[in-house]
Amino acid sequence: GSVFPLYMVYSYQFYAEFPERLRTGPFWEGTEWAITILGYLIWIPSTLHNIVSALNSDRSIPLVFSHQWYFRFHDAVVAPLEMLFLAICFVATLLVGLRNYRRVREGDARRRLRWVFGGLIGAQVPLILVSLFMFIARLLHRDQEWLHINMALALTANLLTIIIGNLGIAKRG
């Protein structure tokens, strides 16, 4: 997609400031900077690759042949890193959410945050597993062969997310 992996960068930034911006140390500030910079470093070559892929064959074929090194680099390095970056962002988002949850005092705000972060965890864990699976598949150059397995995992992850979300709503209501 054209905005991948920027939505993960902004998701992390949202949870880093939710429910309010907290004073943090150098580790968390460095983590936010690293995620932002790495996100853009992956987004730029992926977007260029997507633009060329979207062109009709009369325009794209000469570009691909004249810049083979770039497309090989993208397929060998950037594409596998996308899935690893996705998994890293999921884990970092969970950790920053847990950090913020622990810093909120007891009471109604903490109870609300428990539901928000419980949903976040329930939604992210299956997707982390799918991302790691695709990272390994791309490293082994088996992503096309294993596509049907990935699709089944992604469908299962999405169904689990919906089920967990509905269980949380049903339990709360």
Side-chain angles (χ1 to χ4, degrees):
S2 60
V3 295
F4 180 83
L6 297 183
Y7 64 86
M8 291 306 304
V9 171
Y10 297 127
S11 175
Y12 175 84
Q13 290 174 352
F14 170 80
Y15 281 103
E17 296 184 20
F18 184 79
E20 63 188 35
R21 185 76 170 162
L22 301 170
R23 298 180 87 197
T24 60
F27 172 78
W28 292 108
E29 289 176 15
T31 301
E32 188 166 347
W33 275 102
I35 285 175
T36 302
I37 291 168
L38 288 173
Y40 277 96
L41 287 175
I42 292 171
W43 174 75
I44 291 169
S46 293
T47 300
L48 292 173
H49 187 273
N50 291 340
I51 289 170
V52 171
S53 298
L55 295 173
N56 64 31
S57 60
D58 293 341
R59 298 174 119 182
S60 65
I61 291 174
L63 281 171
V64 171
F65 281 114
S66 63
H67 296 88
Q68 287 182 16
W69 63 270
Y70 171 77
F71 290 94
R72 286 186 183 136
F73 170 76
H74 180 272
D75 293 344
V77 177
V78 177
L81 284 178
E82 287 176 345
M83 292 298 112
L84 180 62
F85 180 75
L86 189 62
I88 289 169
C89 283
F90 285 143
V91 170
T93 301
L94 291 173
L95 291 175
V96 79
L98 180 63
R99 176 205 69 187
N100 290 354
Y101 173 74
R102 288 180 156 178
R103 289 186 174 185
V104 172
R105 285 181 247 130
E106 292 294 327
D108 192 46
R110 189 173 175 109
R111 183 181 54 79
R112 286 186 208 158
L113 280 179
R114 185 173 25 244
W115 285 104
V116 170
F117 293 126
L120 173 68
I121 291 168
Q124 301 295 333
V125 169
L127 296 173
I128 291 170
L129 297 175
V130 170
S131 300
L132 289 174
F133 176 81
M134 278 310 293
F135 171 68
I136 293 167
R138 284 186 177 174
L139 276 181
L140 299 174
H141 302 290
R142 303 226 184 246
D143 49 326
Q144 291 302 316
E145 295 171 32
W146 295 356
L147 189 59
H148 62 285
I149 298 171
N150 181 54
M151 291 177 75
L153 284 172
L155 178 62
T156 304
N158 286 321
L159 288 174
L160 283 173
T161 301
I162 293 167
I163 291 167
I164 291 169
N166 284 329
L167 287 176
I169 292 170
K171 183 176 179 182
R172 188 162 193 257

